[in-house]
Amino acid sequence: MNLFSSIFSSIRIPPTRKLKAGNIPLHIAIIMDGNGRWAQKRGLPRSAGHREGVKALRVVLRTCLELKVRYLTVYSFSSENWKRPTGEVNFLMDLFVESLSRYLGEMNKNGVRLRIIGDRDTIPGPTLKAFNNAEKITEKNERIFFNIALNYGSRQEILKSAKKLAGDLKDGNINPDDLDEKKFSNYLLTGDFPDPDLLIRTSGERRVSNFLLWQIAYTELYFTGTLWPDFGRNDLLKAVFDYQKRNRRFGKL
Ligand code: FPP
């Protein structure tokens, strides 16, 4: 264990009862990072790390249900991830389809409403079809809104929204004087979700990597050295416990 990881792991794990029920983040966003390194450490192919990553995501989703978190948004494939080797990209696209067919019933039963955010135009057909189907099946659920960022990049999202807005201004659908943050937010893919309260990034990296840039203006950031496949229930409780110690001022004194 190096100094970095020992600092992270020195934070103690709170029992659930220590969490303040009235201060659970409404919306948690997660950058699930470290699958490749998890596999590499074990001499396994990167694909094995992604497979374990799906299991970790299942545990985190269940824990969010338990804590009554209402929105969970995870970064599963960025607009930049197409630059990875074709084999890995194809593996991930197939893994999404496989994971949906394995867990959709369970998610639906638990009141999960699934949605993807990202550029749908360039998601491969079978993957998009599986997600469209999952969205349709879960559309009436409302226990938790589970957003999967897929082929997502925040700058691309903002640019596309700005273009759409420019079109609406040109067509006279909106008056420039009426434009405010709320109205602009509605052009984003996350239009009807509240902004994240807590953003977690695993694997020791401390970047936001083009994820929800507009939406995280006042979000509490939490970085952990734990690699995503190792991130479990206790790790999420620890992150929420840490969040509850923060003093959120939103620019006020
Ligand atoms: C980052 O680790 C992880 C990804 C790019 C993929 C995450 C995808 C999943 C966990 C599957 C999610 C499944 C569903 C159904 C949404 P990395 O490969 O960048 O790891 P490294 O930084 O160690 O190389």
Side-chain angles (χ1 to χ4, degrees):
M1 189 183 285
N2 60 31
L3 178 64
F4 189 53
S5 56
S6 72
I7 289 170
F8 278 125
S9 62
S10 68
I11 304 163
R12 96 201 141 77
I13 300 164
T16 323
R17 68 186 156 73
K18 285 254 170 141
L19 294 176
K20 294 183 213 114
N23 189 18
I24 298 294
L26 183 66
H27 185 174
I28 297 182
I30 308 183
I31 302 176
M32 310 178 290
D33 196 8
N35 293 350
R37 276 164 283 168
W38 182 94
Q40 204 173 15
K41 266 171 58 181
R42 290 163 177 76
L44 297 169
R46 294 175 57 81
S47 54
H50 295 315
R51 272 195 189 287
E52 284 301 306
V54 175
K55 291 188 198 160
L57 182 53
R58 177 170 176 251
V59 171
V60 163
L61 178 60
R62 291 172 78 101
T63 310
C64 284
L65 282 165
E66 183 194 336
L67 295 178
K68 299 193 168 54
V69 170
R70 294 300 312 280
Y71 299 83
L72 173 67
T73 303
V74 297
Y75 209 0
S76 71
F77 193 89
S78 75
S79 314
E80 290 73 32
N81 283 155
W82 297 107
K83 295 179 198 142
R84 293 190 176 201
T86 317
E88 183 171 347
V89 169
N90 291 343
F91 177 84
L92 281 167
M93 292 301 145
D94 291 345
L95 183 64
F96 295 137
V97 179
E98 183 193 315
S99 307
L100 282 179
S101 84
R102 180 168 300 166
Y103 299 120
L104 184 58
E106 177 181 313
M107 287 194 283
N108 193 28
K109 208 172 72 199
N110 281 297
V112 176
R113 178 161 177 187
L114 191 144
R115 199 149 116 181
I116 47 168
I117 55 167
D119 181 0
R120 292 173 185 252
D121 295 343
T122 46
I123 296 173
T127 305
L128 186 60
K129 198 167 152 220
F131 276 108
N132 282 339
N133 174 53
E135 287 182 334
K136 182 110 202 60
I137 286 180
T138 64
E139 73 184 352
K140 298 238 155 52
N141 296 340
E142 47 186 34
R143 206 170 143 206
I144 189 166
F145 292 81
F146 179 33
N147 309 311
I148 298 177
L150 176 62
N151 197 18
Y152 175 86
S154 187
R155 285 187 171 181
Q156 292 86 333
E157 175 194 30
I158 292 170
L159 193 58
K160 209 167 174 175
S161 307
K163 282 186 186 167
K164 186 155 188 321
L165 172 65
D168 282 348
L169 288 169
K170 199 166 97 205
D171 297 343
N173 296 333
I174 183 165
N175 179 340
D177 296 332
D178 291 342
L179 190 61
D180 56 17
E181 289 182 13
K182 177 85 193 68
K183 288 210 174 69
F184 185 77
S185 295
N186 289 335
Y187 281 85
L188 299 170
L189 295 165
T190 51
D192 46 356
F193 312 147
D195 289 341
D197 300 292
L198 172 65
L199 170 69
I200 298 170
R201 182 171 189 152
T202 58
S203 94
E205 309 292 352
R206 292 168 173 243
R207 294 185 289 275
V208 291
S209 300
N210 205 15
F211 190 44
L212 305 173
L213 300 180
W214 169 280
Q215 297 88 338
I216 60 169
Y218 287 101
T219 299
E220 296 297 326
L221 308 180
Y222 179 85
F223 299 104
T224 168
T226 304
L227 302 174
W228 176 250
D230 291 327
F231 192 88
R233 184 177 178 280
N234 283 340
D235 299 278
L236 186 66
L237 297 183
K238 239 197 281 193
V240 172
F241 192 59
D242 190 85
Y243 166 85
Q244 295 194 334
K245 289 188 291 195
R246 313 267 180 107
N247 175 15
R248 300 187 78 194
R249 297 205 305 270
F250 300 95
K252 298 191 293 279
L253 267 184

